[in-house]
Amino acid sequence: MYRVVIVGRPNVGKSSLFNKLLGLRTAPEKYAKAGSRFAVVADVPGVTRDLKEGMVESEQGRFKLVDTGGLWSGDVWEKKIKQKVERAIADADLVLFAVDGRSDIATADLEVADFLRRQGKPVQVVATKIDDPKHEAYLGDFYALGFGEALPTSAAHGRGFDDLLERIWALLPVRESKSEPEVVPIRLAIVGRPNAGKSSLLNAILGEERVIVSELPGTTRDSIDVEFDYAGNKFLLVDTAGIRKRPETGVEEQAIGRAHQAILDADVVLLVVDPRELGDHEMKLANEALDAGKPVIVTISKWDLIESKEEAKRVRADLGLKLSHIQHLPILYVSSVTKQNLHKLLSETARLYELARVRFETAELNRWLSVWSTQTMFPNFKGKPLKLFFLTQPEVAPPTFVFFCNHPEFVTRAFEGFLRNRIGEDLGLREIPFRMVFRGRREQVGRGAGETE
C-alpha cells in the first residue's frame, strides 16, 4: 500500500488538506457528522500532535494518507512530534510539504525544507488557502524551498485537488499490482475519561510510542487509527480523546465528538477505567456503547500501581460494587507497564467480535421458544393472553431477534426481561448487546426493546 505523508509547520492547513483528500466536502461545524476518520480542524496551532491515518480512494487507485503534527512548533510537544514525523516519513512513498499560500515563507518553512532534504524522499510542495486564482501569482517565492513548483489548493473551496491527485499518482513509484483479498480489520475503540491510560495502553499493545503520552489530561486531541495484526486477526485500534462532561475549548469539543463517533463506528469498545477514578461517567460510556449495539470490555488500567494483595482485594471489592450494573461484561485488569493481560485484551476482542456475528438457525430458536414458554406465565390482559407464535433472527452485530405474536402491546417490561435473560443465558449472548423486536401478524413494524415507537 502506498503511503503519502503530509508535513509542514503548525497551522498551515495540513489537517484541512488531509480531510479534503479523504473526501470531506467541508470542514464540519458538528464533528459527529464527519466521522472519526477525519482530522479535527481549528484556527489555532498545535491541534494535531499524533499521526492520523486515512485511506484515499481515487480513480487511479488507493493510498494511505498520513496527517502529522506541526514541525518547529516551539512548544513542549516539539521533540516528540518531530520523532513521529521522522517515523512516518521513513515509511513514506511521497511527502506533501504544506505551506500557507497566502503568507511569505517563514523561517520554520525553511527549517522544514532542510529537514525533508535530509530524509531523501520525493517531495511535492502544496500551497494551501489559495481561495482566489489571482493569489497564484505569488507562489513563485516557494521555489526557494528547493522542491520545485508549489501546487495551489483551497480546502474551503475545493480548488486544485484534481490536479493534486494527478501529481501524487505521477510521483508515486510504479509497483506490480497484487490481487490479494482485502481483510476487513476488527475496529476496536479505546475510550474513557482523560488520563485514564488509553494512549499508554495502545502504545503498550503496539510495543512502541505510537501516540504521545503525558500526565497532562487532554494530550490526545483527536481519534488516532492504527492497524495491527495479532494471532491471525487484523485490528484497527482507535485511540480517542478523553471524554469529559464539559469540554473546555472548541478543539476539545470536536475531539470528544470524534470519540463518541468512534464508539458508533467500532466493532468492539474498550472502556478504560482508572480504578481510582471510577464513577457514573464510566457507566454512561458503557451504556452509550451498549445502546449502540457494541460489545464492551471493561479494562481496569494501571494495575501495576496496586502495591499489595490486600489493596488489590479491597479495590476489586469496591469495583465490584460500582460495576454491579455491568458485571455481566468481560472485565480485565491490565498494566501498560508490566504488559499484564494485554494479549488477553486482543483475544477477548476477537471472541466478542465473532460472538456478535453468530447467527442461529430458525428451527433452533423456535425449539428454545417452546422451552421458554413453559418456564413463565405469559401476560394476560382482560382475559386475552399474549401468545408467541414464531421467533427468527434477521440481523447480526448486534444480534436482533424478532418475536411474532398476537398482541405486541401486551409485552410487559418484566416479560421482556425474562426473555432477555433467557437469550443471554441459553444462547450464550450474556456478554454482548442484542435487540428484541415484537411484531403482530398483521403489523409491518412492532415494538422493539430500547427502540422508539
Side-chain angles (χ1 to χ4, degrees):
M1 178 67 66
Y2 292 113
R3 289 177 65 89
V4 178
V5 179
I6 302 172
V7 302
R9 62 179 171 87
N11 215 32
V12 295
K14 297 185 298 297
S15 293
S16 295
L17 181 64
F18 175 85
N19 287 344
K20 196 65 182 179
L21 283 169
L22 259 63
L24 187 61
R25 294 293 175 245
T26 56
E29 293 182 2
K30 289 298 180 181
Y31 38 76
K33 294 180 181 179
S36 60
R37 69 191 182 105
F38 297 107
V40 169
V41 176
D43 291 328
V44 294
V47 173
T48 302
R49 292 171 182 163
D50 295 296
L51 305 181
K52 177 84 173 176
E53 298 182 352
M55 194 68 67
V56 175
E57 307 275 355
S58 70
E59 293 180 358
Q60 298 94 326
R62 309 165 69 219
F63 61 85
K64 185 166 289 185
L65 186 66
V66 184
D67 187 21
T68 66
L71 290 165
W72 277 265
S73 59
D75 58 22
V76 296
W77 314 106
E78 180 176 322
K79 183 177 180 180
K80 287 192 174 183
I81 288 174
K82 185 180 177 183
Q83 291 172 348
K84 295 192 178 304
V85 174
E86 287 178 335
R87 189 174 305 167
I89 292 176
D91 296 328
D93 298 291
L94 175 65
V95 175
L96 300 182
F97 181 6
V99 295
D100 187 338
R102 294 185 299 190
S103 301
D104 294 332
I105 295 178
T107 301
D109 290 324
L110 297 173
E111 296 279 3
V112 174
D114 288 340
F115 166 75
L116 290 178
R117 272 189 285 275
R118 292 194 296 271
Q119 309 308 308
K121 296 287 184 174
V123 174
Q124 172 62 55
V125 180
V126 180
T128 65
K129 310 179 185 179
I130 305 297
D131 300 333
D132 193 312
K134 66 183 180 183
H135 296 146
E136 297 178 17
Y138 303 103
L139 298 183
D141 292 346
F142 290 107
Y143 276 98
L145 297 174
F147 297 108
E149 178 187 8
L151 282 181
T153 64
S154 169
H157 295 80
R159 295 188 65 248
F161 283 87
D162 289 339
D163 291 340
L164 177 56
L165 276 173
E166 287 186 13
R167 183 67 61 87
I168 288 172
W169 283 108
L171 293 174
L172 287 173
V174 177
R175 292 179 183 168
E176 184 178 349
S177 61
K178 297 179 180 180
S179 57
E180 296 181 358
E182 183 177 359
V183 178
V184 178
I186 300 172
R187 194 174 183 92
L188 176 61
I190 306 173
V191 304
R193 69 171 69 205
N195 222 28
K198 300 182 297 299
S199 296
S200 296
L201 188 61
L202 181 139
N203 287 340
I205 290 173
L206 298 176
E208 61 173 303
E209 190 178 350
R210 179 62 173 77
V211 293
I212 295 175
V213 175
S214 169
E215 293 183 358
L216 297 173
T219 300
T220 301
R221 309 182 82 177
D222 202 351
S223 298
I224 308 300
D225 300 357
V226 184
E227 290 191 3
F228 176 70
D229 293 321
Y230 172 75
N233 288 305
K234 184 181 288 291
F235 295 88
L236 183 65
L237 309 180
V238 184
D239 185 26
T240 65
I243 300 176
R244 69 173 97 209
K245 295 180 181 178
R246 296 179 181 85
E248 298 177 354
T249 66
V251 170
E252 185 179 6
E253 185 181 5
Q254 286 195 58
I256 290 175
R258 298 296 174 84
H260 287 296
Q261 184 65 37
I263 292 175
L264 297 178
D265 294 339
D267 296 311
V268 179
V269 173
L270 213 62
L271 176 59
V272 180
V273 176
D274 185 330
R276 299 163 298 184
E277 296 189 27
L278 175 62
D280 292 341
H281 194 49
E282 281 72 20
M283 298 299 103
K284 290 179 180 178
L285 288 176
N287 288 333
E288 178 182 343
L290 294 173
D291 288 345
K294 311 299 180 178
V296 175
I297 301 175
V298 181
T299 308
I300 311 301
S301 65
K302 306 180 183 181
W303 201 243
D304 56 287
L305 300 180
I306 305 300
E307 298 179 350
S308 66
K309 291 183 178 180
E310 291 74 16
E311 183 182 5
K313 186 176 181 180
R314 286 197 309 272
V315 173
R316 284 178 184 268
D318 183 53
L319 290 172
L321 291 174
K322 292 180 178 178
L323 297 173
S324 59
H325 294 299
I326 55 173
Q327 61 181 351
H328 60 288
L329 302 179
I331 300 176
L332 291 177
Y333 298 83
V334 306
S335 168
S336 300
V337 176
T338 65
K339 308 296 191 294
Q340 176 182 343
N341 280 336
L342 295 190
H343 292 298
K344 192 170 183 180
L345 271 180
L346 296 174
S347 61
E348 281 291 278
T349 297
R351 183 179 69 84
L352 293 182
Y353 176 85
E354 295 297 335
L355 187 59
R357 285 156 179 77
V358 169
R359 188 179 293 275
F360 294 89
E361 296 290 337
T362 300
E364 179 184 0
L365 290 176
N366 284 279
R367 283 194 294 270
W368 278 114
L369 183 60
S370 297
V371 173
W372 300 336
S373 297
T374 65
Q375 295 177 340
T376 188
M377 294 291 293
F378 276 45
N380 188 308
F381 287 87
K382 296 181 180 180
K384 293 182 179 180
L386 172 71
K387 296 181 181 180
L388 299 182
F389 301 117
F390 191 69
L391 174 59
T392 186
Q393 182 195 356
E395 298 177 14
V396 298
T400 300
F401 300 96
V402 178
F403 293 83
F404 290 89
C405 57
N406 58 341
H407 290 287
E409 67 276 12
F410 286 7
V411 178
T412 63
R413 179 169 296 184
F415 186 71
E416 202 171 89
F418 163 78
L419 291 176
R420 184 168 295 279
N421 288 335
R422 296 278 42 88
I423 289 175
E425 294 294 336
D426 295 338
L427 301 186
L429 301 181
R430 188 168 177 267
E431 297 172 294
I432 64 169
F434 56 85
R435 293 174 179 158
M436 298 189 301
V437 177
F438 298 89
R439 290 183 178 172
R441 281 180 165 176
R442 297 179 179 84
E443 292 180 347
Q444 295 298 318
V445 180
R447 184 170 67 85
E451 296 182 353
T452 302
E453 291 187 75

PDB file of all heavy atoms in Angstrom, residues 129-143:
ATOM      1  N   LYS A 129      -4.844  27.315   1.131  1.00  0.00           N
ATOM      2  CA  LYS A 129      -5.584  28.569   1.349  1.00  0.00           C
ATOM      3  C   LYS A 129      -5.561  29.507   0.140  1.00  0.00           C
ATOM      4  O   LYS A 129      -5.720  30.715   0.290  1.00  0.00           O
ATOM      5  CB  LYS A 129      -5.061  29.298   2.591  1.00  0.00           C
ATOM      6  CG  LYS A 129      -4.968  28.414   3.836  1.00  0.00           C
ATOM      7  CD  LYS A 129      -4.408  29.175   5.035  1.00  0.00           C
ATOM      8  CE  LYS A 129      -4.195  28.261   6.230  1.00  0.00           C
ATOM      9  NZ  LYS A 129      -3.636  28.975   7.398  1.00  0.00           N
ATOM     10  N   ILE A 130      -5.371  28.970  -1.069  1.00  0.00           N
ATOM     11  CA  ILE A 130      -5.404  29.792  -2.295  1.00  0.00           C
ATOM     12  C   ILE A 130      -6.845  29.809  -2.790  1.00  0.00           C
ATOM     13  O   ILE A 130      -7.235  29.064  -3.689  1.00  0.00           O
ATOM     14  CB  ILE A 130      -4.436  29.236  -3.367  1.00  0.00           C
ATOM     15  CG1 ILE A 130      -3.029  29.116  -2.804  1.00  0.00           C
ATOM     16  CG2 ILE A 130      -4.443  30.140  -4.594  1.00  0.00           C
ATOM     17  CD1 ILE A 130      -2.419  30.453  -2.401  1.00  0.00           C
ATOM     18  N   ASP A 131      -7.656  30.654  -2.170  1.00  0.00           N
ATOM     19  CA  ASP A 131      -9.081  30.677  -2.479  1.00  0.00           C
ATOM     20  C   ASP A 131      -9.392  31.383  -3.797  1.00  0.00           C
ATOM     21  O   ASP A 131     -10.429  31.130  -4.403  1.00  0.00           O
ATOM     22  CB  ASP A 131      -9.842  31.382  -1.343  1.00  0.00           C
ATOM     23  CG  ASP A 131      -9.660  30.675  -0.002  1.00  0.00           C
ATOM     24  OD1 ASP A 131      -9.428  29.453  -0.015  1.00  0.00           O
ATOM     25  OD2 ASP A 131      -9.731  31.346   1.042  1.00  0.00           O
ATOM     26  N   ASP A 132      -8.502  32.280  -4.233  1.00  0.00           N
ATOM     27  CA  ASP A 132      -8.731  33.068  -5.448  1.00  0.00           C
ATOM     28  C   ASP A 132      -7.579  32.829  -6.418  1.00  0.00           C
ATOM     29  O   ASP A 132      -6.403  32.875  -6.026  1.00  0.00           O
ATOM     30  CB  ASP A 132      -8.812  34.557  -5.090  1.00  0.00           C
ATOM     31  CG  ASP A 132      -9.355  35.392  -6.237  1.00  0.00           C
ATOM     32  OD1 ASP A 132      -8.871  35.223  -7.381  1.00  0.00           O
ATOM     33  OD2 ASP A 132     -10.261  36.207  -5.994  1.00  0.00           O
ATOM     34  N   PRO A 133      -7.856  32.575  -7.706  1.00  0.00           N
ATOM     35  CA  PRO A 133      -6.785  32.317  -8.683  1.00  0.00           C
ATOM     36  C   PRO A 133      -5.755  33.439  -8.764  1.00  0.00           C
ATOM     37  O   PRO A 133      -4.584  33.175  -9.075  1.00  0.00           O
ATOM     38  CB  PRO A 133      -7.544  32.170 -10.006  1.00  0.00           C
ATOM     39  CG  PRO A 133      -8.912  31.731  -9.613  1.00  0.00           C
ATOM     40  CD  PRO A 133      -9.197  32.411  -8.302  1.00  0.00           C
ATOM     41  N   LYS A 134      -6.120  34.666  -8.461  1.00  0.00           N
ATOM     42  CA  LYS A 134      -5.166  35.775  -8.566  1.00  0.00           C
ATOM     43  C   LYS A 134      -4.036  35.667  -7.542  1.00  0.00           C
ATOM     44  O   LYS A 134      -2.964  36.246  -7.722  1.00  0.00           O
ATOM     45  CB  LYS A 134      -5.874  37.115  -8.417  1.00  0.00           C
ATOM     46  CG  LYS A 134      -6.479  37.377  -7.044  1.00  0.00           C
ATOM     47  CD  LYS A 134      -7.231  38.701  -7.029  1.00  0.00           C
ATOM     48  CE  LYS A 134      -7.834  38.975  -5.650  1.00  0.00           C
ATOM     49  NZ  LYS A 134      -8.627  40.229  -5.618  1.00  0.00           N
ATOM     50  N   HIS A 135      -4.266  34.882  -6.465  1.00  0.00           N
ATOM     51  CA  HIS A 135      -3.228  34.708  -5.456  1.00  0.00           C
ATOM     52  C   HIS A 135      -2.126  33.757  -5.920  1.00  0.00           C
ATOM     53  O   HIS A 135      -1.068  33.691  -5.297  1.00  0.00           O
ATOM     54  CB  HIS A 135      -3.837  34.186  -4.159  1.00  0.00           C
ATOM     55  CG  HIS A 135      -4.798  35.140  -3.521  1.00  0.00           C
ATOM     56  ND1 HIS A 135      -5.916  34.730  -2.817  1.00  0.00           N
ATOM     57  CD2 HIS A 135      -4.817  36.498  -3.499  1.00  0.00           C
ATOM     58  CE1 HIS A 135      -6.571  35.778  -2.385  1.00  0.00           C
ATOM     59  NE2 HIS A 135      -5.926  36.871  -2.782  1.00  0.00           N
ATOM     60  N   GLU A 136      -2.376  33.012  -7.014  1.00  0.00           N
ATOM     61  CA  GLU A 136      -1.372  32.077  -7.502  1.00  0.00           C
ATOM     62  C   GLU A 136      -0.132  32.795  -8.028  1.00  0.00           C
ATOM     63  O   GLU A 136       0.945  32.202  -8.124  1.00  0.00           O
ATOM     64  CB  GLU A 136      -1.968  31.192  -8.601  1.00  0.00           C
ATOM     65  CG  GLU A 136      -3.111  30.311  -8.107  1.00  0.00           C
ATOM     66  CD  GLU A 136      -3.719  29.469  -9.217  1.00  0.00           C
ATOM     67  OE1 GLU A 136      -3.053  29.333 -10.271  1.00  0.00           O
ATOM     68  OE2 GLU A 136      -4.847  28.952  -9.047  1.00  0.00           O
ATOM     69  N   ALA A 137      -0.276  34.070  -8.349  1.00  0.00           N
ATOM     70  CA  ALA A 137       0.863  34.835  -8.873  1.00  0.00           C
ATOM     71  C   ALA A 137       1.981  34.970  -7.862  1.00  0.00           C
ATOM     72  O   ALA A 137       3.138  35.239  -8.234  1.00  0.00           O
ATOM     73  CB  ALA A 137       0.383  36.224  -9.314  1.00  0.00           C
ATOM     74  N   TYR A 138       1.685  34.766  -6.594  1.00  0.00           N
ATOM     75  CA  TYR A 138       2.695  34.966  -5.549  1.00  0.00           C
ATOM     76  C   TYR A 138       3.368  33.660  -5.130  1.00  0.00           C
ATOM     77  O   TYR A 138       4.171  33.645  -4.188  1.00  0.00           O
ATOM     78  CB  TYR A 138       2.043  35.608  -4.319  1.00  0.00           C
ATOM     79  CG  TYR A 138       1.351  36.916  -4.624  1.00  0.00           C
ATOM     80  CD1 TYR A 138      -0.040  36.974  -4.730  1.00  0.00           C
ATOM     81  CD2 TYR A 138       2.079  38.083  -4.824  1.00  0.00           C
ATOM     82  CE1 TYR A 138      -0.689  38.156  -5.028  1.00  0.00           C
ATOM     83  CE2 TYR A 138       1.438  39.281  -5.114  1.00  0.00           C
ATOM     84  CZ  TYR A 138       0.059  39.309  -5.217  1.00  0.00           C
ATOM     85  OH  TYR A 138      -0.567  40.491  -5.513  1.00  0.00           O
ATOM     86  N   LEU A 139       3.049  32.556  -5.802  1.00  0.00           N
ATOM     87  CA  LEU A 139       3.582  31.264  -5.383  1.00  0.00           C
ATOM     88  C   LEU A 139       5.010  31.027  -5.850  1.00  0.00           C
ATOM     89  O   LEU A 139       5.655  30.074  -5.405  1.00  0.00           O
ATOM     90  CB  LEU A 139       2.682  30.132  -5.894  1.00  0.00           C
ATOM     91  CG  LEU A 139       1.239  30.127  -5.372  1.00  0.00           C
ATOM     92  CD1 LEU A 139       0.486  28.914  -5.915  1.00  0.00           C
ATOM     93  CD2 LEU A 139       1.215  30.133  -3.849  1.00  0.00           C
ATOM     94  N   GLY A 140       5.528  31.883  -6.729  1.00  0.00           N
ATOM     95  CA  GLY A 140       6.889  31.686  -7.225  1.00  0.00           C
ATOM     96  C   GLY A 140       7.931  31.721  -6.132  1.00  0.00           C
ATOM     97  O   GLY A 140       8.994  31.083  -6.245  1.00  0.00           O
ATOM     98  N   ASP A 141       7.657  32.429  -5.042  1.00  0.00           N
ATOM     99  CA  ASP A 141       8.621  32.513  -3.947  1.00  0.00           C
ATOM    100  C   ASP A 141       8.925  31.150  -3.336  1.00  0.00           C
ATOM    101  O   ASP A 141      10.004  30.945  -2.769  1.00  0.00           O
ATOM    102  CB  ASP A 141       8.099  33.449  -2.850  1.00  0.00           C
ATOM    103  CG  ASP A 141       8.037  34.900  -3.312  1.00  0.00           C
ATOM    104  OD1 ASP A 141       8.645  35.205  -4.359  1.00  0.00           O
ATOM    105  OD2 ASP A 141       7.388  35.707  -2.625  1.00  0.00           O
ATOM    106  N   PHE A 142       7.965  30.223  -3.462  1.00  0.00           N
ATOM    107  CA  PHE A 142       8.153  28.928  -2.817  1.00  0.00           C
ATOM    108  C   PHE A 142       9.153  28.038  -3.555  1.00  0.00           C
ATOM    109  O   PHE A 142       9.524  26.973  -3.045  1.00  0.00           O
ATOM    110  CB  PHE A 142       6.805  28.217  -2.666  1.00  0.00           C
ATOM    111  CG  PHE A 142       5.900  28.864  -1.649  1.00  0.00           C
ATOM    112  CD1 PHE A 142       4.794  29.589  -2.045  1.00  0.00           C
ATOM    113  CD2 PHE A 142       6.179  28.762  -0.295  1.00  0.00           C
ATOM    114  CE1 PHE A 142       3.967  30.200  -1.127  1.00  0.00           C
ATOM    115  CE2 PHE A 142       5.360  29.366   0.645  1.00  0.00           C
ATOM    116  CZ  PHE A 142       4.259  30.094   0.229  1.00  0.00           C
ATOM    117  N   TYR A 143       9.615  28.447  -4.740  1.00  0.00           N
ATOM    118  CA  TYR A 143      10.724  27.739  -5.386  1.00  0.00           C
ATOM    119  C   TYR A 143      11.966  27.759  -4.496  1.00  0.00           C
ATOM    120  O   TYR A 143      12.837  26.882  -4.598  1.00  0.00           O
ATOM    121  CB  TYR A 143      11.032  28.382  -6.746  1.00  0.00           C
ATOM    122  CG  TYR A 143      10.176  27.895  -7.876  1.00  0.00           C
ATOM    123  CD1 TYR A 143       9.065  28.622  -8.290  1.00  0.00           C
ATOM    124  CD2 TYR A 143      10.460  26.698  -8.538  1.00  0.00           C
ATOM    125  CE1 TYR A 143       8.265  28.177  -9.338  1.00  0.00           C
ATOM    126  CE2 TYR A 143       9.672  26.247  -9.584  1.00  0.00           C
ATOM    127  CZ  TYR A 143       8.576  26.984  -9.983  1.00  0.00           C
ATOM    128  OH  TYR A 143       7.782  26.530 -11.023  1.00  0.00           O
TER     129      TYR A 143
END
